[in-house]
Amino acid sequence: MTSGATSGAVPEVLTMGRVGVDVYPLQVGVSLRHVETFGKYLGGSPTNVAVAAARLGRSSAVITRTGADPFGLFVHDALREYGVGDQYVTAVPGLPTPVTFCEIRPPEDFPLYFYRYPKAPDLEIRPEELDLPAVAGARLFWATVTGLSDEPSRGAHLAAWRARGRAPYTVLDLDYRPMFWPDEETARERVREALGHVTVVVGNLEEVEVATGTREPRKAGRALLEAGAELAVVKRGAAGVLGMTATETVEVPPVPVEVVNGLGAGDAFGGALCHGLLAGWPLERTLRFANAAGAIVAGRLACAPAMPTAAEVLEVLEVTGEGRTDRGKVTDEERADRGEGAGDE
């Protein structure tokens, strides 16, 4: 078991929102109509981010809700196995734990089928149920816009953000999924309402377009900063990643990978972003590290169990030449991540 949050301790990374069970085919390039065998995995974007952060050595926990059913118990088992605190995960009677199916058609086609009916339990998080001291005390709080799509979850997210008072790092993952919203305009209104409460915003081109009205990366980044963010991260797919603050603009290229399943790459990127921010790394180093973490998971089938360790990420950075910006100098911190002694070369 990896290190993770334990009951009674405020985790470094606290995420909030969607959870479920991912049911992925074990046959690649086959329609669900014809798939015969599946694997069962922990799923849900903010939950996967907590797993990714824990795999990198950060204490983490997730605030979410499951059904009172065997899949809900599986969620608890999986979180504990991955070292993620489950003290803020409770069951909602009468609602089933969500299940998500996908088809694996690499390199770019991974259609998702969400079964979140009649309503997902993770949208039943209530403001009065929150451990607000933990929310305020976490070094990094991560939420996604899915939690704004329905009540009482939307009110709970606003209550959490008020408790933090825009403390660093308060992260909003734009994570826009059209099937969770009545229309794009409603999503845009809710996202813009949220932007004034957070300090870091992360999204891909489609998601930043929903938030800002433009998918041109630099214009979108500036719009997010003008809305209140201190750091805007725009994921541009094959064009790499753009990071912007009021004083710095950084662009890093993608890490080449033979894609097996691209669905968990963004969550791995998110967990690695958390790690770099909490470590106080320069923005370029943080984005290169996050890029490599995402590439590793894109080359693997599942999401949560595919999250890499720091040593795996550093190995990819060294192999691809996309690593440190200090011209090859190996730091004591990186040696520790790889299990080496401080004096090793």
Side-chain angles (χ1 to χ4, degrees):
M1 180 183 294
T2 56
S3 62
T6 58
S7 181
V10 175
E12 294 177 283
V13 176
L14 181 59
T15 72
M16 179 173 174
R18 199 167 78 243
V19 75
V21 177
D22 289 345
V23 182
Y24 287 176
L26 300 182
Q27 295 148 285
V28 175
V30 178
S31 167
L32 287 178
R33 180 178 181 181
H34 302 295
V35 171
E36 296 181 353
T37 55
F38 297 85
K40 174 168 60 72
Y41 310 100
L42 182 67
S45 182
T47 302
N48 286 336
V49 169
V51 172
R55 190 65 61 85
L56 293 169
R58 299 290 173 180
S59 63
S60 70
V62 59
I63 302 169
T64 193
R65 303 289 177 263
T66 69
D69 54 27
F71 278 151
L73 296 176
F74 165 76
V75 167
H76 283 275
D77 292 343
L79 288 171
R80 292 167 184 160
E81 178 183 350
Y82 296 131
V84 177
D86 65 343
Q87 63 266 39
Y88 310 118
V89 182
T90 57
V92 179
L95 292 178
T97 302
V99 176
T100 303
F101 290 86
C102 83
E103 293 181 351
I104 308 295
R105 299 199 294 248
E108 297 181 353
D109 192 14
F110 305 98
L112 283 168
Y113 302 88
F114 292 95
Y115 291 80
R116 292 167 60 86
Y117 311 112
K119 183 181 183 180
D122 53 62
L123 292 175
E124 282 292 308
I125 303 172
R126 299 179 179 275
E128 63 271 19
E129 297 172 338
L130 295 176
D131 183 342
L132 292 179
V135 170
R139 292 184 61 196
L140 187 149
F141 179 72
W142 180 290
T144 78
V145 302
T146 299
L148 305 175
S149 64
D150 206 344
E151 296 288 3
S153 173
R154 174 170 169 259
H157 280 68
L158 292 171
W161 287 326
R162 285 193 293 268
R164 286 190 65 80
R166 288 181 48 81
Y169 299 96
T170 303
V171 186
L172 178 64
D173 182 353
L174 296 176
D175 189 37
Y176 173 65
R177 305 281 184 174
M179 66 285 294
F180 298 159
W181 294 89
D183 52 70
E184 186 174 309
E185 185 55 38
T186 301
R188 179 173 290 113
E189 291 174 2
R190 300 279 174 84
V191 171
R192 289 180 174 175
E193 176 186 27
L195 290 176
H197 296 282
V198 301
T199 61
V200 180
V201 183
V202 184
N204 62 29
L205 293 176
E206 178 186 11
E207 293 162 348
V208 299
E209 183 177 20
V210 171
T212 68
T214 179
R215 62 190 293 122
E216 199 288 314
R218 288 177 177 254
K219 289 182 180 178
R222 285 193 292 269
L224 293 171
L225 295 177
E226 290 169 359
E230 297 172 8
L231 170 62
V233 178
V234 182
K235 297 179 287 188
R236 303 178 297 170
V241 178
L242 169 72
M244 296 181 70
T245 69
T247 59
E248 184 179 16
T249 298
V250 171
E251 296 183 72
V252 300
V255 174
V257 63
E258 184 174 344
V259 175
V260 174
N261 182 0
L263 294 176
D267 302 332
F269 181 100
L273 178 67
C274 294
H275 183 59
L277 291 173
L278 293 176
W281 291 347
L283 180 56
E284 181 176 352
R285 179 181 177 188
T286 297
L287 295 181
R288 289 184 185 277
F289 187 89
N291 251 357
I296 289 170
V297 174
R300 297 173 176 176
L301 174 63
C303 293
M307 297 302 169
T309 64
E312 289 176 306
V313 178
L314 291 172
E315 182 179 357
V316 167
L317 288 172
E318 290 186 353
V319 169
T320 61
E322 291 296 333
R324 299 171 299 277
T325 58
D326 55 4
R327 303 303 180 189
K329 180 181 178 182
V330 180
T331 67
D332 287 347
E333 179 183 5
E334 289 170 330
R335 290 190 181 99
D337 282 339
R338 295 188 304 193
E340 302 171 358
D344 294 339
E345 291 297 334

